[in-house]
Amino acid sequence: MILILAGLRTRWVTLIGSFVALALGVALLATMGLALASTVDAPPQHPERLAGAPVVVRGPDELRVGEKTQPLANYRGVPAEVAARLAAAAPTVADRSFEARDGFTGHPWSVAGYGGYRLTAGRAPVRPGEVVVGGPPALVGTIVQGREVVGTVPPTGYERAMFLTDAEAARLSPRIDNLVVDAAAAEVRAVVGAAVGIQVLTGDGRRRADPDPDRDAEALMAANALLGTAGGVTTFVSVFVVASTFAFAVAQRRRELGLLRTAGATPGQVRRMVLAEAAVVGVLASAAGCALGSRAAPPLARMLVDERLAPAWFVIGGHRWPYHVAFWTGLLVALAGAATAAVRAGRVGPLEALREAAVDSRAMPIGRRIAGALVLATGLGLLVWRLIVEPGEALHRKTYTTQPMLLITAIALLTPAVVGPLVRALRLPGVTGPLVLANAAAGLRRTAAIAAPVLITVALTGSLLGATATISTAKATELRARTAADLIIERPDAATVARARAVPGATVLTSAQTAVYVLEEGTALIRSPALAVDAAALASVRRLPVIAGSLADLDDTSIVVNDEWAEHTVGAEIDVWLGDGTPRTLRIAAVLATGTGDNGAYVTPANAPGAAPDLLEMIVAGRAPAAGLAGVGLTREQWLAGQAPRTGRETRVGFLVVLGIALLYTAIALANTLVMATTDRVPEFTALRRAGATRGQVLRLVAAEALAVVAIGALLGVAVTLLNLAGIWAALGALSVWSPPVVPWRPLATTALACAVIAVTAALATASRRTR
C-alpha cells in the first residue's frame, strides 16, 4: 500500500485526467439518476379546467378489447340520452370544446367558473358574435376572429380560451364533451346505470376532462428518454476514456514495471498494484462526482422545465439510491477500465527495464483484435439485418442513436491496427512532414490514444446530426412527391369547402385525421393513423406510392393500408375498429409503400364518424387561381415550406447534451494523454535541441504532430459517419424513398477544429515548459 500511495503522489499528473473524467461521469450519472427518480414518483396531478365541478360525466374516450386499451382518435362525447336523463335528475351544465383559428379553444361561458376563470374586465357574452378571451383587459372592444371581445379573463398555461354564449357554442360544436352535474357521485352513477364506457369523474379523476390530460406523462417520458440517452453516452465515453488512460499510462511505465519485476515483484503483484491505483482513483473520483451531482441536479430540472421537456411543477426529490448507483458504477468503471491495463502490466518482463528505444510499433494484442472484430461484425450484422427484416427500424431515434455506438466502439478498439497503415499512407509536405509521420508511426500507442477520442466525438457528431438531417430530408422529399395540389387550405369550414367545390374545373380533396385499430395475432391492439378522404378525388390530388391494388377501389366498404400491416393482401377482409370505437369489417382496396412512416391508412368519411376535415387540397384546371380562395389558402410551395420537417425540441436538446458530454470528455482525454506523452518525450526534445533545432522548431513540430493525429482521428470519425449514413440511406431505399444522405460537413469541421485547438493547446503548454 505504501508503494501504491507513493506511486500516486509521483504520478498524479498522469492520473488527473482519469480522476476528472470519472468524477464528471459520476456527477452526470448522479444528476440524471436524481432526475429520473423524480420522474418515476411524480406527484398526482390535479384537475385544471373543471376543477370546481362537483361531478363530471364524460363519454367513452378509449377502445377496450379484452384487457387491451387504446385512446380513441374521434371522441364521441356524452350520448344525448344520457345527458337527458341526468338533466332530468339534477342541474347540469354542458361543456363543449372546439378548435378555433389562431390557437384559440372555444367553450360555452357557463363552464368558465368551474375552471376558476373570473372576469378581469368587461362583461360576459350575451349575444351571438360576442366573446370573452384570456388576455389583458386592453383586448376589450377589439375584434377577434370576426367577434367582438366584450370581456377578458386571466390567461392560463394549458389553453388559450375563448368563451361564447352557450347557444352559439352549441351551434358551432353540437357534441357534449363533458357534462357537469351538481349531484352526489353515487346518484350520478345510479342514473348513468350500465351505459357502456360512460365515466363519472370526481376528485383528481376530473383531470381526464382537461385538454391533453396526458401531457405531463408524455413530457416525463420525453425527459426519461433524454436522460437515459445522455446517461448511456456518459457511461460509454467515461469507460473508454478511463480505459484508454490507464492503458496508455501502463504503456508509458513499461521500464518502471520492468524494474519492479527485476526487483522480484510477481506478475500478480504488478496487476494488483495497477488495480489498487484504479480503486483509489475510483473511490475519490466517485465521491467527488456524487457531491457535484447533488449540486447539478436542480439546475438540470430547471433547464428541462425551461425547454418544455418537463412539466412546470417538476423538481428534484430527495432520493438516495441514485448516489449509490452512481458511486458504485464509477468505481466499477474505474476497475473495468484498468482491468485490461492490469493484465498487460502483469505481462511486462524484467528485461523491459533495459529498453532504451522509445519506438512503440508492437502489434495490437490478439484479444483486442478479436474484441474489435466481434463488435464490428455485430454492428454490421445488425445493420444488414434491419435492412432485410425491418428497414423502418433504422429511422427510429432509438436505433440511430445506438447503432453508431457499436461501430464507434469497434473502430476505437481497432484504432491501433488502423492507425499504422493510415499514417504510412499519408504524405505531408516540407521537411517537417516526414518527421511528423515518422514520430506518429514510431509511437502507435500514443497516436491511437490521441486519435480515439477524436474519432468518438467526430463520429457521434456526424452520425447523430447526419441521421436526423437525412431522415428530415427524406420526409420532405416524400411529402413533395405526394402533394399535387395547387391550393391548400388548413382547417377549412363548411362554407370554404362549398366555395372550393363550386370553382369550375376544380378537383377538391378534403381530409380528416382519424385512426383505425387492429388486433394483431390476438395479442396486440395496434392503433394506425388514418385519413378520411374523398375517395373520388384521392388518386387525382395525391400521388401515393401504390404497390398493389388501386386507389379507385376505395369506398365505404374498403380501406387503403401500407405494407407494414400484418395483413396487406389486396382483396382480403380485415376486422378493424374505427376512430370512434365502432367495429367494422373492411376490404383492402390498395397497399402503399410504408415510406418514412407518414403513409398511413385511408378510409372514407363514412368510416370516420366525428372527424371534421382539417385540410383541403385543390387542383384547378390550367393551374388558374381559384376566385375567392386565393387569400384563404396557400400555394403548394408555400404549404410545403411550412410543412418542412424540423428536428424536435427534445431531440435537439438531447443531441446538444450528448455531443457536449462527448466533446468535454474528448477535451479531458486529449489533454491528459498529450500531457503524459509530451512529458515522456523530454529526452527526445533535448536531443533535437542538441542537434541544432531551435525551441520554436521543436514547438512547431509538437503542434504539427498533434494536428496530424487529430486529423487521423477525424478521418476515422468521418468514415464511421459515412458508414452509418449509408445504412440509413439504404433503409430509406428499401422503404421506396430515394433521398440522398445528408453529411453535416460544417458541424464535422467545427468539431474537428475544436479537437485540434484542444490538442495543440495541451501539447504546446506541456512542451513549452519542458523545453525551457
Side-chain angles (χ1 to χ4, degrees):
M1 180 57 71
I2 295 175
L3 182 62
I4 293 170
L5 294 177
L8 289 173
R9 283 196 301 271
T10 57
R11 287 190 302 276
W12 66 270
V13 174
T14 64
L15 294 173
I16 191 66
S18 298
F19 175 87
V20 173
L22 195 56
L24 179 62
V26 171
L28 289 170
L29 286 176
T31 301
M32 293 166 193
L34 288 168
L36 285 170
S38 300
T39 64
V40 171
D41 60 352
Q45 300 306 291
H46 305 296
E48 294 174 314
R49 204 173 65 79
L50 296 178
V55 176
V56 177
V57 174
R58 184 168 173 81
D61 58 8
E62 68 177 14
L63 172 65
R64 180 175 294 274
V65 180
E67 297 298 322
K68 304 165 186 65
T69 61
Q70 284 280 7
L72 288 175
N74 305 124
Y75 174 55
R76 288 179 289 184
V78 179
E81 63 275 12
V82 174
R85 292 205 307 270
L86 289 169
T92 61
V93 176
D95 171 42
R96 296 176 168 89
S97 300
F98 58 92
E99 290 187 12
R101 293 192 302 274
D102 301 327
F104 281 103
T105 301
H107 303 290
W109 174 250
S110 59
V111 302
Y114 295 115
Y117 286 107
R118 297 292 183 269
L119 284 170
T120 55
R123 58 175 176 81
V126 295
R127 289 186 295 272
E130 295 181 345
V131 295
V132 171
V133 299
L139 290 176
V140 174
T142 61
I143 303 298
V144 173
Q145 298 185 10
R147 296 180 173 88
E148 181 186 2
V149 177
V150 297
T152 59
V153 294
T156 64
Y158 57 85
E159 68 174 355
R160 193 179 184 191
M162 172 188 288
F163 295 99
L164 302 83
T165 64
D166 290 13
E168 189 171 9
R171 179 180 63 81
L172 294 173
S173 180
R175 183 186 70 193
I176 300 176
D177 294 308
N178 306 287
L179 193 68
V180 177
V181 185
D182 189 4
E187 297 176 13
V188 174
R189 291 189 179 94
V191 174
V192 169
V196 178
I198 300 298
Q199 307 170 73
V200 179
L201 307 176
T202 59
D204 287 343
R206 293 168 298 176
R207 182 174 174 79
R208 299 304 308 169
D210 287 339
D212 194 10
D214 297 323
R215 69 182 185 277
D216 286 355
E218 292 169 357
L220 291 178
M221 288 179 62
N224 274 326
L226 167 64
L227 297 170
T229 301
V233 172
T234 299
T235 304
F236 167 75
V237 180
S238 61
V239 168
F240 176 82
V241 169
V242 172
S244 63
T245 300
F246 274 103
F248 186 66
V250 169
Q252 297 290 94
R253 296 167 58 191
R254 294 186 70 84
R255 292 189 64 199
E256 173 195 338
L257 298 176
L259 285 171
L260 288 174
R261 293 297 313 282
T262 303
T266 65
Q269 289 174 323
V270 172
R271 285 193 292 267
R272 286 193 294 274
M273 181 187 71
V274 173
L275 287 174
E277 290 177 356
V280 173
V281 172
V283 169
L284 296 176
S286 296
C290 287
L292 184 60
S294 66
R295 299 282 186 178
L300 173 64
R302 289 195 293 272
M303 185 271 288
L304 293 175
V305 172
D306 292 341
E307 292 292 334
R308 287 179 287 173
L309 294 175
W313 49 262
F314 181 67
V315 293
I316 299 298
H319 305 279
R320 294 187 179 275
W321 65 261
Y323 294 112
H324 290 281
V325 172
F327 180 89
W328 295 111
T329 300
L331 183 57
L332 182 63
V333 165
L335 294 176
T340 303
V343 172
R344 186 177 301 144
R347 294 173 180 167
V348 175
L351 293 180
E352 296 291 336
L354 303 179
R355 287 184 179 269
E356 292 292 343
V359 177
D360 180 18
S361 57
R362 288 181 291 275
M364 192 172 69
I366 186 64
R368 184 166 177 173
R369 288 179 181 271
I370 294 174
L374 288 176
V375 175
L376 181 61
T378 302
L380 294 177
L382 285 174
L383 194 64
V384 174
W385 179 80
R386 287 194 183 100
L387 291 178
I388 297 174
V389 178
E390 196 67 43
E393 283 290 320
L395 309 186
H396 295 168
R397 187 179 61 184
K398 182 176 66 175
T399 301
Y400 65 70
T401 54
T402 55
Q403 175 71 33
M405 302 298 181
L406 286 173
L407 297 179
I408 291 172
T409 302
I411 301 301
L413 287 171
L414 297 173
T415 298
V418 176
V419 163
L422 191 57
V423 169
R424 288 190 289 271
L426 291 177
R427 294 292 182 269
L428 294 180
V431 177
T432 308
L435 182 58
V436 168
L437 296 178
N439 283 337
L444 283 183
R445 290 187 189 278
R446 179 182 71 241
T447 303
I450 299 171
V454 179
L455 154 68
I456 289 179
T457 306
V458 172
L460 275 177
T461 301
S463 298
L464 297 181
L465 299 183
T468 54
T470 299
I471 294 171
S472 295
T473 301
K475 286 181 177 291
T477 301
E478 189 178 41
L479 182 62
R480 178 173 291 277
R482 190 171 62 222
T483 305
D486 302 320
L487 188 70
I488 299 171
I489 302 173
E490 296 178 340
R491 292 196 179 92
D493 54 25
T496 302
V497 174
R499 290 208 313 271
R501 295 191 189 282
V503 175
T507 303
V508 176
L509 174 73
T510 60
S511 57
Q513 300 214 11
T514 182
V516 290
Y517 305 85
V518 182
L519 189 64
E520 289 190 355
E521 300 178 356
T523 58
L525 184 61
I526 305 298
R527 171 181 168 140
S528 297
L531 289 177
V533 297
D534 306 313
L538 179 59
S540 302
V541 180
R542 288 205 176 183
R543 299 187 290 255
L544 298 176
V546 179
I547 58 177
S550 172
L551 297 177
D553 294 336
L554 177 64
D555 56 27
D556 292 346
T557 64
S558 61
I559 183 174
V560 175
V561 303
N562 61 46
D563 58 358
E564 197 174 37
W565 283 48
E567 175 59 75
H568 55 269
T569 304
V570 173
E573 292 189 341
I574 52 176
D575 295 324
V576 301
W577 287 265
L578 304 181
D580 67 344
T582 303
R584 190 68 57 87
T585 299
L586 297 176
R587 172 181 47 83
I588 297 179
V591 180
L592 308 177
T594 301
T596 60
D598 292 334
N599 292 327
Y602 286 83
V603 296
T604 61
N607 290 319
D614 53 15
L615 194 69
L616 183 149
E617 299 168 73
M618 181 178 179
I619 291 180
V620 184
R623 304 182 70 86
L629 293 174
V632 179
L634 301 172
T635 65
R636 177 176 181 267
E637 293 302 322
Q638 290 173 333
W639 186 77
L640 287 173
Q643 297 296 312
R646 295 175 177 85
T647 303
R649 184 188 301 105
E650 174 195 340
T651 301
R652 185 173 61 254
V653 174
F655 283 177
L656 287 175
V657 171
V658 168
L659 296 179
I661 292 171
L663 185 59
L664 184 58
Y665 270 114
T666 295
I668 294 170
L670 283 176
N672 190 56
T673 304
L674 283 165
V675 166
M676 287 192 296
T678 308
T679 301
D680 201 53
R681 296 176 64 190
V682 171
E684 177 186 341
F685 298 152
T686 302
L688 287 173
R689 293 295 304 276
R690 289 175 177 172
T694 65
R695 182 168 179 265
Q697 289 174 323
V698 172
L699 293 179
R700 285 194 293 273
L701 175 65
V702 170
E705 289 180 12
L707 286 175
V709 178
V710 168
I712 291 171
L715 287 175
L716 293 175
V718 170
V720 174
T721 296
L722 295 178
L723 183 59
N724 280 306
L725 295 184
I728 294 177
W729 176 76
L732 289 169
L735 295 169
S736 302
V737 182
W738 297 105
S739 177
V742 179
V743 182
W745 292 114
R746 182 175 294 179
L748 284 173
T750 302
T751 303
L753 179 61
C755 293
V757 170
I758 294 168
V760 171
T761 301
L764 287 181
T766 306
S768 179
R769 292 196 307 270
R770 300 296 181 177
T771 55
R772 288 174 184 169

